[in-house]
PDB file of all heavy atoms in Angstrom:
ATOM      1  N   PRO A 298     133.412 113.519  75.932  1.00  0.00           N
ATOM      2  CA  PRO A 298     134.016 114.788  75.438  1.00  0.00           C
ATOM      3  C   PRO A 298     134.767 115.552  76.485  1.00  0.00           C
ATOM      4  O   PRO A 298     135.581 116.408  76.203  1.00  0.00           O
ATOM      5  CB  PRO A 298     132.770 115.624  74.974  1.00  0.00           C
ATOM      6  CG  PRO A 298     131.680 115.011  75.792  1.00  0.00           C
ATOM      7  CD  PRO A 298     131.971 113.588  75.947  1.00  0.00           C
ATOM      8  N   GLY A 299     134.553 115.221  77.815  1.00  0.00           N
ATOM      9  CA  GLY A 299     135.252 116.014  78.803  1.00  0.00           C
ATOM     10  C   GLY A 299     136.493 115.274  79.366  1.00  0.00           C
ATOM     11  O   GLY A 299     136.918 115.642  80.480  1.00  0.00           O
ATOM     12  N   ALA A 300     137.094 114.418  78.550  1.00  0.00           N
ATOM     13  CA  ALA A 300     138.210 113.632  79.046  1.00  0.00           C
ATOM     14  C   ALA A 300     139.358 114.525  79.501  1.00  0.00           C
ATOM     15  O   ALA A 300     140.033 114.294  80.525  1.00  0.00           O
ATOM     16  CB  ALA A 300     138.677 112.617  77.983  1.00  0.00           C
ATOM     17  N   PHE A 301     139.686 115.568  78.682  1.00  0.00           N
ATOM     18  CA  PHE A 301     140.727 116.486  79.050  1.00  0.00           C
ATOM     19  C   PHE A 301     140.445 117.199  80.352  1.00  0.00           C
ATOM     20  O   PHE A 301     141.271 117.380  81.158  1.00  0.00           O
ATOM     21  CB  PHE A 301     140.951 117.539  77.968  1.00  0.00           C
ATOM     22  CG  PHE A 301     141.764 116.994  76.755  1.00  0.00           C
ATOM     23  CD1 PHE A 301     141.155 116.868  75.519  1.00  0.00           C
ATOM     24  CD2 PHE A 301     143.057 116.676  76.908  1.00  0.00           C
ATOM     25  CE1 PHE A 301     141.929 116.385  74.486  1.00  0.00           C
ATOM     26  CE2 PHE A 301     143.848 116.217  75.876  1.00  0.00           C
ATOM     27  CZ  PHE A 301     143.253 116.100  74.621  1.00  0.00           C
ATOM     28  N   VAL A 302     139.176 117.619  80.496  1.00  0.00           N
ATOM     29  CA  VAL A 302     138.761 118.373  81.657  1.00  0.00           C
ATOM     30  C   VAL A 302     138.856 117.474  82.911  1.00  0.00           C
ATOM     31  O   VAL A 302     139.378 117.883  83.945  1.00  0.00           O
ATOM     32  CB  VAL A 302     137.339 118.827  81.550  1.00  0.00           C
ATOM     33  CG1 VAL A 302     136.820 119.422  82.838  1.00  0.00           C
ATOM     34  CG2 VAL A 302     137.280 119.874  80.407  1.00  0.00           C
ATOM     35  N   HIS A 303     138.468 116.191  82.831  1.00  0.00           N
ATOM     36  CA  HIS A 303     138.481 115.280  83.966  1.00  0.00           C
ATOM     37  C   HIS A 303     139.951 115.083  84.378  1.00  0.00           C
ATOM     38  O   HIS A 303     140.283 115.125  85.541  1.00  0.00           O
ATOM     39  CB  HIS A 303     137.884 113.965  83.579  1.00  0.00           C
ATOM     40  CG  HIS A 303     136.436 114.046  83.386  1.00  0.00           C
ATOM     41  ND1 HIS A 303     135.556 113.057  83.931  1.00  0.00           N
ATOM     42  CD2 HIS A 303     135.586 114.951  82.901  1.00  0.00           C
ATOM     43  CE1 HIS A 303     134.339 113.384  83.645  1.00  0.00           C
ATOM     44  NE2 HIS A 303     134.283 114.509  83.044  1.00  0.00           N
ATOM     45  N   ALA A 304     140.815 114.828  83.421  1.00  0.00           N
ATOM     46  CA  ALA A 304     142.257 114.602  83.700  1.00  0.00           C
ATOM     47  C   ALA A 304     142.919 115.870  84.268  1.00  0.00           C
ATOM     48  O   ALA A 304     143.665 115.813  85.230  1.00  0.00           O
ATOM     49  CB  ALA A 304     142.976 114.153  82.456  1.00  0.00           C
ATOM     50  N   GLY A 305     142.543 117.046  83.714  1.00  0.00           N
ATOM     51  CA  GLY A 305     143.047 118.304  84.215  1.00  0.00           C
ATOM     52  C   GLY A 305     142.617 118.549  85.626  1.00  0.00           C
ATOM     53  O   GLY A 305     143.361 119.093  86.465  1.00  0.00           O
ATOM     54  N   ALA A 306     141.367 118.188  85.914  1.00  0.00           N
ATOM     55  CA  ALA A 306     140.845 118.423  87.284  1.00  0.00           C
ATOM     56  C   ALA A 306     141.586 117.603  88.305  1.00  0.00           C
ATOM     57  O   ALA A 306     141.844 118.031  89.407  1.00  0.00           O
ATOM     58  CB  ALA A 306     139.309 118.097  87.312  1.00  0.00           C
ATOM     59  N   ALA A 307     141.953 116.384  87.865  1.00  0.00           N
ATOM     60  CA  ALA A 307     142.742 115.544  88.776  1.00  0.00           C
ATOM     61  C   ALA A 307     144.135 116.194  89.110  1.00  0.00           C
ATOM     62  O   ALA A 307     144.584 116.108  90.247  1.00  0.00           O
ATOM     63  CB  ALA A 307     142.917 114.131  88.203  1.00  0.00           C
ATOM     64  N   LEU A 308     144.717 116.743  88.054  1.00  0.00           N
ATOM     65  CA  LEU A 308     145.989 117.435  88.277  1.00  0.00           C
ATOM     66  C   LEU A 308     145.816 118.607  89.189  1.00  0.00           C
ATOM     67  O   LEU A 308     146.614 118.907  90.093  1.00  0.00           O
ATOM     68  CB  LEU A 308     146.574 117.876  86.946  1.00  0.00           C
ATOM     69  CG  LEU A 308     147.031 116.795  85.953  1.00  0.00           C
ATOM     70  CD1 LEU A 308     147.520 117.399  84.669  1.00  0.00           C
ATOM     71  CD2 LEU A 308     148.125 115.897  86.586  1.00  0.00           C
ATOM     72  N   ALA A 309     144.672 119.364  88.958  1.00  0.00           N
ATOM     73  CA  ALA A 309     144.409 120.522  89.801  1.00  0.00           C
ATOM     74  C   ALA A 309     144.280 120.176  91.267  1.00  0.00           C
ATOM     75  O   ALA A 309     144.728 120.847  92.109  1.00  0.00           O
ATOM     76  CB  ALA A 309     143.180 121.305  89.256  1.00  0.00           C
ATOM     77  N   GLU A 310     143.537 119.071  91.439  1.00  0.00           N
ATOM     78  CA  GLU A 310     143.278 118.627  92.846  1.00  0.00           C
ATOM     79  C   GLU A 310     144.527 118.362  93.590  1.00  0.00           C
ATOM     80  O   GLU A 310     144.716 118.705  94.754  1.00  0.00           O
ATOM     81  CB  GLU A 310     142.360 117.426  92.822  1.00  0.00           C
ATOM     82  CG  GLU A 310     141.727 117.040  94.150  1.00  0.00           C
ATOM     83  CD  GLU A 310     140.555 116.120  93.919  1.00  0.00           C
ATOM     84  OE1 GLU A 310     140.608 115.287  93.015  1.00  0.00           O
ATOM     85  OE2 GLU A 310     139.589 116.148  94.759  1.00  0.00           O
ATOM     86  N   ARG A 311     145.500 117.692  92.906  1.00  0.00           N
ATOM     87  CA  ARG A 311     146.768 117.422  93.522  1.00  0.00           C
ATOM     88  C   ARG A 311     147.583 118.678  93.789  1.00  0.00           C
ATOM     89  O   ARG A 311     148.276 118.829  94.793  1.00  0.00           O
ATOM     90  CB  ARG A 311     147.577 116.430  92.690  1.00  0.00           C
ATOM     91  CG  ARG A 311     147.017 115.046  92.663  1.00  0.00           C
ATOM     92  CD  ARG A 311     148.039 114.002  92.126  1.00  0.00           C
ATOM     93  NE  ARG A 311     148.328 114.264  90.739  1.00  0.00           N
ATOM     94  CZ  ARG A 311     147.678 113.700  89.726  1.00  0.00           C
ATOM     95  NH1 ARG A 311     146.647 112.934  89.936  1.00  0.00           N
ATOM     96  NH2 ARG A 311     148.059 113.944  88.492  1.00  0.00           N
ATOM     97  N   ALA A 312     147.551 119.604  92.794  1.00  0.00           N
ATOM     98  CA  ALA A 312     148.353 120.799  92.880  1.00  0.00           C
ATOM     99  C   ALA A 312     147.892 121.800  94.014  1.00  0.00           C
ATOM    100  O   ALA A 312     148.723 122.356  94.636  1.00  0.00           O
ATOM    101  CB  ALA A 312     148.307 121.586  91.567  1.00  0.00           C
ATOM    102  N   VAL A 313     146.616 121.871  94.252  1.00  0.00           N
ATOM    103  CA  VAL A 313     146.142 122.845  95.223  1.00  0.00           C
ATOM    104  C   VAL A 313     145.649 122.226  96.515  1.00  0.00           C
ATOM    105  O   VAL A 313     145.034 122.828  97.401  1.00  0.00           O
ATOM    106  CB  VAL A 313     145.046 123.727  94.636  1.00  0.00           C
ATOM    107  CG1 VAL A 313     145.609 124.507  93.462  1.00  0.00           C
ATOM    108  CG2 VAL A 313     143.835 122.989  94.234  1.00  0.00           C
ATOM    109  N   GLY A 314     145.753 120.819  96.607  1.00  0.00           N
ATOM    110  CA  GLY A 314     145.305 120.147  97.811  1.00  0.00           C
ATOM    111  C   GLY A 314     143.873 120.010  97.965  1.00  0.00           C
ATOM    112  O   GLY A 314     143.295 120.192  99.061  1.00  0.00           O
ATOM    113  N   GLY A 315     143.133 119.637  96.876  1.00  0.00           N
ATOM    114  CA  GLY A 315     141.721 119.485  96.949  1.00  0.00           C
ATOM    115  C   GLY A 315     141.006 120.643  96.377  1.00  0.00           C
ATOM    116  O   GLY A 315     141.457 121.788  96.410  1.00  0.00           O
ATOM    117  N   LEU A 316     139.867 120.377  95.692  1.00  0.00           N
ATOM    118  CA  LEU A 316     139.114 121.451  94.979  1.00  0.00           C
ATOM    119  C   LEU A 316     137.935 122.099  95.793  1.00  0.00           C
ATOM    120  O   LEU A 316     137.538 123.140  95.413  1.00  0.00           O
ATOM    121  CB  LEU A 316     138.505 120.815  93.658  1.00  0.00           C
ATOM    122  CG  LEU A 316     139.546 120.367  92.664  1.00  0.00           C
ATOM    123  CD1 LEU A 316     138.824 119.691  91.487  1.00  0.00           C
ATOM    124  CD2 LEU A 316     140.334 121.554  92.140  1.00  0.00           C
ATOM    125  N   ALA A 317     137.558 121.461  96.871  1.00  0.00           N
ATOM    126  CA  ALA A 317     136.459 121.954  97.622  1.00  0.00           C
ATOM    127  C   ALA A 317     136.716 123.390  98.145  1.00  0.00           C
ATOM    128  O   ALA A 317     137.756 123.622  98.793  1.00  0.00           O
ATOM    129  CB  ALA A 317     136.110 121.042  98.783  1.00  0.00           C
ATOM    130  N   GLY A 318     135.887 124.274  97.804  1.00  0.00           N
ATOM    131  CA  GLY A 318     135.998 125.640  98.281  1.00  0.00           C
ATOM    132  C   GLY A 318     136.982 126.512  97.493  1.00  0.00           C
ATOM    133  O   GLY A 318     137.086 127.674  97.765  1.00  0.00           O
ATOM    134  N   ARG A 319     137.707 125.896  96.537  1.00  0.00           N
ATOM    135  CA  ARG A 319     138.739 126.679  95.800  1.00  0.00           C
ATOM    136  C   ARG A 319     138.021 127.598  94.763  1.00  0.00           C
ATOM    137  O   ARG A 319     136.946 127.330  94.219  1.00  0.00           O
ATOM    138  CB  ARG A 319     139.656 125.770  95.087  1.00  0.00           C
ATOM    139  CG  ARG A 319     140.438 124.789  95.958  1.00  0.00           C
ATOM    140  CD  ARG A 319     141.405 125.556  96.894  1.00  0.00           C
ATOM    141  NE  ARG A 319     142.202 124.614  97.674  1.00  0.00           N
ATOM    142  CZ  ARG A 319     143.125 124.998  98.517  1.00  0.00           C
ATOM    143  NH1 ARG A 319     143.375 126.304  98.681  1.00  0.00           N
ATOM    144  NH2 ARG A 319     143.830 124.082  99.228  1.00  0.00           N
ATOM    145  N   SER A 320     138.709 128.687  94.491  1.00  0.00           N
ATOM    146  CA  SER A 320     138.212 129.689  93.546  1.00  0.00           C
ATOM    147  C   SER A 320     138.629 129.318  92.149  1.00  0.00           C
ATOM    148  O   SER A 320     139.809 129.042  91.866  1.00  0.00           O
ATOM    149  CB  SER A 320     138.729 131.053  93.890  1.00  0.00           C
ATOM    150  OG  SER A 320     138.283 132.037  92.967  1.00  0.00           O
ATOM    151  N   LEU A 321     137.720 129.284  91.210  1.00  0.00           N
ATOM    152  CA  LEU A 321     137.960 128.849  89.835  1.00  0.00           C
ATOM    153  C   LEU A 321     137.813 129.983  88.919  1.00  0.00           C
ATOM    154  O   LEU A 321     136.835 130.769  88.922  1.00  0.00           O
ATOM    155  CB  LEU A 321     136.934 127.737  89.428  1.00  0.00           C
ATOM    156  CG  LEU A 321     136.914 127.333  87.965  1.00  0.00           C
ATOM    157  CD1 LEU A 321     138.226 126.686  87.556  1.00  0.00           C
ATOM    158  CD2 LEU A 321     135.771 126.386  87.678  1.00  0.00           C
ATOM    159  N   LEU A 322     138.768 130.157  87.952  1.00  0.00           N
ATOM    160  CA  LEU A 322     138.686 131.090  86.884  1.00  0.00           C
ATOM    161  C   LEU A 322     138.740 130.316  85.589  1.00  0.00           C
ATOM    162  O   LEU A 322     139.679 129.548  85.349  1.00  0.00           O
ATOM    163  CB  LEU A 322     139.821 132.095  86.939  1.00  0.00           C
ATOM    164  CG  LEU A 322     140.034 132.992  85.677  1.00  0.00           C
ATOM    165  CD1 LEU A 322     138.813 133.896  85.483  1.00  0.00           C
ATOM    166  CD2 LEU A 322     141.287 133.857  85.830  1.00  0.00           C
ATOM    167  N   VAL A 323     137.723 130.477  84.656  1.00  0.00           N
ATOM    168  CA  VAL A 323     137.711 129.929  83.363  1.00  0.00           C
ATOM    169  C   VAL A 323     137.841 131.043  82.328  1.00  0.00           C
ATOM    170  O   VAL A 323     137.070 132.010  82.357  1.00  0.00           O
ATOM    171  CB  VAL A 323     136.379 129.167  83.152  1.00  0.00           C
ATOM    172  CG1 VAL A 323     136.339 128.578  81.723  1.00  0.00           C
ATOM    173  CG2 VAL A 323     136.219 128.022  84.162  1.00  0.00           C
ATOM    174  N   VAL A 324     138.848 130.881  81.494  1.00  0.00           N
ATOM    175  CA  VAL A 324     139.121 131.918  80.476  1.00  0.00           C
ATOM    176  C   VAL A 324     138.704 131.320  79.123  1.00  0.00           C
ATOM    177  O   VAL A 324     139.342 130.329  78.664  1.00  0.00           O
ATOM    178  CB  VAL A 324     140.597 132.347  80.459  1.00  0.00           C
ATOM    179  CG1 VAL A 324     140.826 133.423  79.420  1.00  0.00           C
ATOM    180  CG2 VAL A 324     141.014 132.771  81.821  1.00  0.00           C
ATOM    181  N   GLY A 325     137.715 131.894  78.454  1.00  0.00           N
ATOM    182  CA  GLY A 325     137.147 131.389  77.240  1.00  0.00           C
ATOM    183  C   GLY A 325     135.703 130.917  77.531  1.00  0.00           C
ATOM    184  O   GLY A 325     135.365 130.539  78.659  1.00  0.00           O
ATOM    185  N   ALA A 326     134.882 130.980  76.503  1.00  0.00           N
ATOM    186  CA  ALA A 326     133.477 130.597  76.686  1.00  0.00           C
ATOM    187  C   ALA A 326     132.986 129.594  75.645  1.00  0.00           C
ATOM    188  O   ALA A 326     131.822 129.585  75.285  1.00  0.00           O
ATOM    189  CB  ALA A 326     132.601 131.872  76.685  1.00  0.00           C
ATOM    190  N   GLY A 327     133.898 128.787  75.182  1.00  0.00           N
ATOM    191  CA  GLY A 327     133.555 127.721  74.239  1.00  0.00           C
ATOM    192  C   GLY A 327     133.054 126.448  74.977  1.00  0.00           C
ATOM    193  O   GLY A 327     132.838 126.443  76.185  1.00  0.00           O
ATOM    194  N   LYS A 328     132.926 125.376  74.144  1.00  0.00           N
ATOM    195  CA  LYS A 328     132.411 124.162  74.664  1.00  0.00           C
ATOM    196  C   LYS A 328     133.292 123.587  75.770  1.00  0.00           C
ATOM    197  O   LYS A 328     132.880 123.077  76.803  1.00  0.00           O
ATOM    198  CB  LYS A 328     132.290 123.108  73.520  1.00  0.00           C
ATOM    199  CG  LYS A 328     131.754 121.782  73.984  1.00  0.00           C
ATOM    200  CD  LYS A 328     130.265 121.918  74.479  1.00  0.00           C
ATOM    201  CE  LYS A 328     129.686 120.537  74.801  1.00  0.00           C
ATOM    202  NZ  LYS A 328     128.350 120.683  75.360  1.00  0.00           N
ATOM    203  N   MET A 329     134.658 123.616  75.568  1.00  0.00           N
ATOM    204  CA  MET A 329     135.607 123.086  76.515  1.00  0.00           C
ATOM    205  C   MET A 329     135.486 123.832  77.811  1.00  0.00           C
ATOM    206  O   MET A 329     135.501 123.278  78.907  1.00  0.00           O
ATOM    207  CB  MET A 329     137.003 123.137  75.988  1.00  0.00           C
ATOM    208  CG  MET A 329     138.002 122.396  76.847  1.00  0.00           C
ATOM    209  SD  MET A 329     137.712 120.621  76.870  1.00  0.00           S
ATOM    210  CE  MET A 329     138.423 120.133  75.278  1.00  0.00           C
ATOM    211  N   SER A 330     135.378 125.145  77.752  1.00  0.00           N
ATOM    212  CA  SER A 330     135.266 125.970  78.985  1.00  0.00           C
ATOM    213  C   SER A 330     133.969 125.678  79.744  1.00  0.00           C
ATOM    214  O   SER A 330     133.919 125.591  80.960  1.00  0.00           O
ATOM    215  CB  SER A 330     135.253 127.481  78.609  1.00  0.00           C
ATOM    216  OG  SER A 330     136.443 127.833  77.986  1.00  0.00           O
ATOM    217  N   GLU A 331     132.881 125.451  78.992  1.00  0.00           N
ATOM    218  CA  GLU A 331     131.626 125.103  79.666  1.00  0.00           C
ATOM    219  C   GLU A 331     131.747 123.745  80.361  1.00  0.00           C
ATOM    220  O   GLU A 331     131.242 123.622  81.485  1.00  0.00           O
ATOM    221  CB  GLU A 331     130.528 125.056  78.542  1.00  0.00           C
ATOM    222  CG  GLU A 331     129.114 124.942  79.099  1.00  0.00           C
ATOM    223  CD  GLU A 331     128.093 125.125  77.985  1.00  0.00           C
ATOM    224  OE1 GLU A 331     128.507 125.279  76.837  1.00  0.00           O
ATOM    225  OE2 GLU A 331     126.842 125.114  78.362  1.00  0.00           O
ATOM    226  N   LEU A 332     132.356 122.738  79.689  1.00  0.00           N
ATOM    227  CA  LEU A 332     132.532 121.479  80.342  1.00  0.00           C
ATOM    228  C   LEU A 332     133.382 121.555  81.596  1.00  0.00           C
ATOM    229  O   LEU A 332     133.085 120.924  82.601  1.00  0.00           O
ATOM    230  CB  LEU A 332     133.206 120.473  79.302  1.00  0.00           C
ATOM    231  CG  LEU A 332     132.307 119.998  78.180  1.00  0.00           C
ATOM    232  CD1 LEU A 332     133.195 119.275  77.152  1.00  0.00           C
ATOM    233  CD2 LEU A 332     131.237 119.086  78.681  1.00  0.00           C
ATOM    234  N   ALA A 333     134.446 122.402  81.532  1.00  0.00           N
ATOM    235  CA  ALA A 333     135.331 122.597  82.639  1.00  0.00           C
ATOM    236  C   ALA A 333     134.573 123.203  83.838  1.00  0.00           C
ATOM    237  O   ALA A 333     134.697 122.699  84.956  1.00  0.00           O
ATOM    238  CB  ALA A 333     136.525 123.476  82.280  1.00  0.00           C
ATOM    239  N   LEU A 334     133.791 124.179  83.551  1.00  0.00           N
ATOM    240  CA  LEU A 334     133.050 124.826  84.650  1.00  0.00           C
ATOM    241  C   LEU A 334     132.051 123.840  85.299  1.00  0.00           C
ATOM    242  O   LEU A 334     131.953 123.745  86.511  1.00  0.00           O
ATOM    243  CB  LEU A 334     132.270 126.049  84.096  1.00  0.00           C
ATOM    244  CG  LEU A 334     131.481 126.868  85.147  1.00  0.00           C
ATOM    245  CD1 LEU A 334     132.354 127.332  86.240  1.00  0.00           C
ATOM    246  CD2 LEU A 334     130.745 128.017  84.417  1.00  0.00           C
ATOM    247  N   GLN A 335     131.342 123.123  84.436  1.00  0.00           N
ATOM    248  CA  GLN A 335     130.341 122.173  85.003  1.00  0.00           C
ATOM    249  C   GLN A 335     131.014 121.048  85.827  1.00  0.00           C
ATOM    250  O   GLN A 335     130.494 120.750  86.904  1.00  0.00           O
ATOM    251  CB  GLN A 335     129.559 121.534  83.811  1.00  0.00           C
ATOM    252  CG  GLN A 335     128.669 122.524  83.075  1.00  0.00           C
ATOM    253  CD  GLN A 335     128.020 121.936  81.823  1.00  0.00           C
ATOM    254  OE1 GLN A 335     128.362 120.826  81.433  1.00  0.00           O
ATOM    255  NE2 GLN A 335     127.166 122.691  81.191  1.00  0.00           N
ATOM    256  N   HIS A 336     132.126 120.560  85.265  1.00  0.00           N
ATOM    257  CA  HIS A 336     132.789 119.432  85.977  1.00  0.00           C
ATOM    258  C   HIS A 336     133.364 119.894  87.324  1.00  0.00           C
ATOM    259  O   HIS A 336     133.172 119.148  88.323  1.00  0.00           O
ATOM    260  CB  HIS A 336     133.858 118.854  85.117  1.00  0.00           C
ATOM    261  CG  HIS A 336     134.570 117.688  85.746  1.00  0.00           C
ATOM    262  ND1 HIS A 336     133.956 116.446  85.982  1.00  0.00           N
ATOM    263  CD2 HIS A 336     135.843 117.600  86.215  1.00  0.00           C
ATOM    264  CE1 HIS A 336     134.798 115.639  86.531  1.00  0.00           C
ATOM    265  NE2 HIS A 336     135.948 116.304  86.677  1.00  0.00           N
ATOM    266  N   LEU A 337     134.008 121.028  87.349  1.00  0.00           N
ATOM    267  CA  LEU A 337     134.665 121.470  88.574  1.00  0.00           C
ATOM    268  C   LEU A 337     133.581 121.961  89.580  1.00  0.00           C
ATOM    269  O   LEU A 337     133.826 121.809  90.833  1.00  0.00           O
ATOM    270  CB  LEU A 337     135.700 122.521  88.316  1.00  0.00           C
ATOM    271  CG  LEU A 337     137.111 121.955  88.056  1.00  0.00           C
ATOM    272  CD1 LEU A 337     137.205 121.253  86.716  1.00  0.00           C
ATOM    273  CD2 LEU A 337     138.191 123.049  88.194  1.00  0.00           C
ATOM    274  N   ALA A 338     132.484 122.466  89.046  1.00  0.00           N
ATOM    275  CA  ALA A 338     131.404 122.812  90.034  1.00  0.00           C
ATOM    276  C   ALA A 338     130.888 121.570  90.686  1.00  0.00           C
ATOM    277  O   ALA A 338     130.538 121.597  91.924  1.00  0.00           O
ATOM    278  CB  ALA A 338     130.264 123.513  89.239  1.00  0.00           C
TER     279      ALA A 338
END
């Protein structure tokens, strides 16, 4: 179910030069938002 999130995280990693220590903002509190927060954490 998190395929979009996984792919999006890969794009994010390239765009900001790695995710470690980066500040994350999630807008929305549905299932997709929950998956995004868990995966990027």
